[in-house]
Amino acid sequence: MKTVIGGIGGALVLAAGMAPFAATAQDGEALLAMEWDEIVEAARGGEVNVFMWGGADNINAYVSDYIGGLLADEYGITLNRVPLTDTAEAVNIVLGEVEAGAAEGAVDMIWINGENFRTMKQGDLAWCGYVEKLPNAELVDFDNPAIANDFGTPVEGCEVPWSRVQFAFAHDTARTEEPPRTIPDLLDWARANPGRFTYPAPPDFTGAAFVRHVFIHAAGGPETLIGPFDQAKFDEVAVKAWDILNDLEPSLWREGRTYPTSITQLQQMFANREVDLFFTYDPAEVGTAVVNGIFPETAMSYGLEDGTLANTNYMVIPVNSPNKAAAMVLQNLLLSGEAQLEKAQPDVWGAATVIEPDRASDEVQAGFAALERHPSVVAIEELGQAALPELQADWTQAIEDGWIENVGN
């Protein structure tokens, strides 16, 4: 995801084929004064336009078919899923509409986190203060710092959590028996196996996360990078990080003359045996790829001994959403125990839940207890033992921009 605002024309093209939005944006203050049953009735028979990364077929199917089916059957609400390659495209649409003075917009909800959320919150582009209205919000522990803060930005009722993820690597045990399990080992492995490793070029979200792992390694650990951005500290660490990544370049796929442009391309390269290592913010993706025949059954995800980044992702409602009531109904559905359990199924998505299962029904609790992890997916408990905190958005943006200027060029 990218925070830099600019070039909204391409994003507008993505929205062109969607159903027309309501003539008048719903009054947020009026909705906040309603009871939940009244909000549901206000939403009934309407629509909700959800802008989200569209690079995973199983996630798209879960949202369009499972969630969209429930919305239609139970509330008569039509879910329009608008695929994105970069979340900033949706943020740009909202920003352009608000700057133009448009009271009503094209976007009702965005799958988001990190600097994109910070941009929306700081720019008063996010609708806030409604979360406590959602009945299923009671299933979430909003006092948990991992949920209450989005890459260091306090959530403060301006977005609703959807899933939790942690960065993981993957290898094919049939051709790489012992993969590197620390960042220093990975750098050595890449040099010893030229052409067999690469990473997507930032601003690709997952590629930028790999760069952050190297930056944290150059800093000697995350401790000195936690908290507000420190330019002097950044400059000190950046010299080391860019040297590491530039020195690595000749050992990369195609000698670093070009990089994959997306995590989807890297997934295909791993599937085609062009590279020997893959990584993802969603370890369950490896199991799904095996089930779908994209990866071989010998593919296995794993964590790093020196830790990998973990975070929560969210759904945000723009301040000029024309269908706020329908968006609230959708968010409440996404938080339901049943929807979170379905999302956690290995053959559906395998995503880690954001609710506390013991707050849900006995049936949902039993469902979570009975979940079986796909054998190609590393255990969440194992990953969690070495979870690294995400850096605040100023850090992540500076690292991304620094890579583009000092390595990518």
Side-chain angles (χ1 to χ4, degrees):
M1 299 181 215
K2 187 179 179 184
T3 305
V4 176
I5 304 299
I8 70 172
L12 290 171
V13 170
L14 288 172
M18 61 191 290
F21 46 80
T24 304
Q26 287 176 322
D27 185 345
E29 291 300 320
L31 285 173
L32 294 179
M34 293 181 182
E35 298 297 325
W36 179 248
D37 289 346
E38 296 176 305
I39 293 171
V40 170
E41 287 309 310
R44 195 174 298 279
E47 64 179 359
V48 59
N49 303 311
V50 182
F51 285 59
M52 56 181 286
W53 177 70
D57 291 341
N58 62 315
I59 298 175
N60 295 339
Y62 170 78
V63 173
S64 294
D65 300 338
Y66 177 77
I67 296 297
L70 290 176
L71 270 184
D73 293 344
E74 297 181 19
Y75 306 102
I77 296 173
T78 299
L79 189 155
N80 303 312
R81 181 181 57 81
V82 183
L84 304 169
T85 56
D86 189 331
T87 304
E89 295 165 358
V91 178
N92 289 341
I93 292 175
V94 177
L95 177 65
E97 292 167 344
V98 171
E99 287 185 339
E104 56 204 24
V107 185
D108 292 311
M109 192 178 299
I110 306 172
W111 185 17
I112 201 167
N113 69 1
E115 58 262 43
N116 286 302
F117 170 65
R118 183 192 63 166
T119 296
M120 291 198 70
K121 189 182 180 193
Q122 290 184 345
D124 294 325
L125 303 177
W127 186 45
C128 304
Y130 67 91
V131 175
E132 63 184 18
K133 286 281 184 181
L134 309 179
N136 287 328
E138 296 180 355
L139 302 178
V140 179
D141 180 8
F142 285 98
D143 292 328
N144 182 342
I147 289 177
N149 298 282
D150 183 347
F151 281 65
T153 300
V155 170
E156 298 177 327
C158 296
E159 59 180 354
V160 169
W162 191 28
S163 297
R164 299 180 69 179
V165 296
Q166 187 170 346
F167 201 92
F169 286 78
H171 67 118
D172 182 350
T173 58
R175 65 180 195 261
T176 310
E177 284 189 36
E178 290 299 328
R181 296 185 180 272
T182 67
I183 290 296
D185 286 348
L186 172 58
L187 298 171
D188 290 341
W189 183 93
R191 295 185 186 98
N193 297 272
R196 306 307 300 170
F197 176 75
T198 191
Y199 57 96
D204 175 81
F205 185 66
T206 314
F210 171 74
V211 172
R212 290 201 298 278
H213 282 87
V214 175
F215 198 92
I216 290 170
H217 160 66
E223 296 78 13
T224 59
L225 308 179
I226 298 300
F229 182 72
D230 183 327
Q231 185 67 57
K233 186 63 180 179
F234 173 84
D235 292 341
E236 175 188 342
V237 176
V239 171
K240 303 175 185 176
W242 310 150
D243 281 348
I244 291 171
L245 291 169
N246 280 317
D247 288 345
L248 180 66
E249 242 178 7
S251 301
L252 297 178
W253 172 74
R254 294 185 177 176
E255 298 181 339
R257 291 190 299 270
T258 184
Y259 291 80
T261 58
S262 68
I263 192 61
T264 304
Q265 183 181 351
L266 182 63
Q267 181 193 62
Q268 195 60 52
M269 291 169 63
F270 178 74
N272 293 340
R273 300 191 170 206
E274 293 180 73
V275 294
D276 291 332
L277 297 179
F278 174 66
F279 51 76
T280 172
Y281 249 122
D282 185 1
E285 179 183 347
V286 178
T288 302
V290 172
V291 170
N292 292 333
I294 299 171
F295 289 174
E297 292 186 357
T298 48
M300 177 68 67
S301 61
Y302 68 97
L304 295 182
E305 295 171 3
D306 46 359
T308 56
L309 295 166
N311 68 63
T312 303
N313 54 72
Y314 303 77
M315 289 289 189
V316 65
I317 300 175
V319 69
N320 66 336
S321 159
N323 302 300
K324 291 186 177 70
M328 292 175 71
V329 171
L330 172 55
Q331 285 192 335
N332 190 62
L333 176 58
L334 293 174
L335 283 180
S336 70
E338 292 74 15
Q340 288 280 313
L341 177 59
E342 177 71 8
K343 182 160 58 70
Q345 299 295 334
D347 58 345
V348 175
W349 183 348
T353 185
V354 293
I355 68 169
E356 301 297 314
D358 60 3
R359 298 185 184 184
S361 67
D362 291 344
E363 184 178 356
V364 168
Q365 291 183 48
F368 273 108
L371 282 176
E372 293 187 7
R373 177 174 51 88
H374 189 281
S376 290
V377 179
V378 61
I380 295 296
E381 296 77 12
E382 179 182 334
L383 273 181
Q385 292 176 357
L388 298 177
E390 289 284 8
L391 307 180
Q392 289 192 16
D394 286 338
W395 282 101
T396 62
Q397 190 62 57
I399 293 170
E400 181 179 307
D401 292 343
W403 183 93
I404 292 171
E405 180 178 353
N406 295 280
V407 182
N409 285 341

